[in-house]
Amino acid sequence: MKTLGDLRHCADASALRKAVLGICADFGTVKRLEILTAEQDGVPQAICFLSLDNPDHELALMRALGLGRFGGEIVFVVNLARALYGEGAVPEWAWAIPPVDADVNRKRGRTVEQAHDPPDP
């Protein structure tokens, strides 16, 4: 199985899309993957919205990779690799939502709440 650490080398949305699809292949078919790019404090980032073909597959993915939901979709933020980080430097990646097992998580001074299971279809 591939890991989320594989995403930290992606330099753009196209490379990130390919890497996310590769990671998700072990869990099911990707129904939706939307990637929005932005920049925060000079760091290029990608915000990923993801849903799989089956809620059980989504839950397995979330548990295996420590992801969570926002608005019913799996959401995470990746700091994109760029030349501005310097040769050999790897930017950290951060997740917008805490791991599945957490009820409340403090991340960069913000409190995020999350449900344990996906909503019923």
Side-chain angles (χ1 to χ4, degrees), residues 26 30 48 51 88-89:
D26 292 338
V30 174
C48 302
S51 59

Side-chain angles (χ1 to χ4, degrees), residues 32-71:
R32 178 174 181 249
L33 173 58
E34 186 171 343
I35 299 173
L36 305 174
T37 57
E39 189 172 300
Q40 182 173 335
D41 299 327
V43 177
Q45 296 181 319
I47 304 163
C48 302
F49 299 88
L50 174 68
S51 59
L52 299 180
D53 61 338
N54 180 303
D56 292 334
H57 295 164
E58 288 182 350
L59 190 56
L61 173 74
M62 291 166 58
R63 286 189 174 143
L65 302 178
L67 299 175
R69 292 186 186 275
F70 180 79

Side-chain angles (χ1 to χ4, degrees), residues 33-119:
L33 173 58
E34 186 171 343
I35 299 173
L36 305 174
T37 57
E39 189 172 300
Q40 182 173 335
D41 299 327
V43 177
Q45 296 181 319
I47 304 163
C48 302
F49 299 88
L50 174 68
S51 59
L52 299 180
D53 61 338
N54 180 303
D56 292 334
H57 295 164
E58 288 182 350
L59 190 56
L61 173 74
M62 291 166 58
R63 286 189 174 143
L65 302 178
L67 299 175
R69 292 186 186 275
F70 180 79
E73 290 188 291
I74 300 168
V75 178
F76 54 95
V77 177
V78 177
N79 288 350
L80 297 173
R82 291 272 173 98
L84 62 96
Y85 290 105
E87 191 170 325
V90 177
E92 71 173 271
W93 38 268
W95 308 109
I97 306 299
V100 173
D101 296 329
D103 289 319
V104 177
N105 183 34
R106 294 212 179 268
K107 179 84 175 163
R108 296 186 180 162
R110 295 172 287 205
T111 301
V112 180
E113 296 182 26
Q114 158 192 329
H116 286 279
D117 294 314

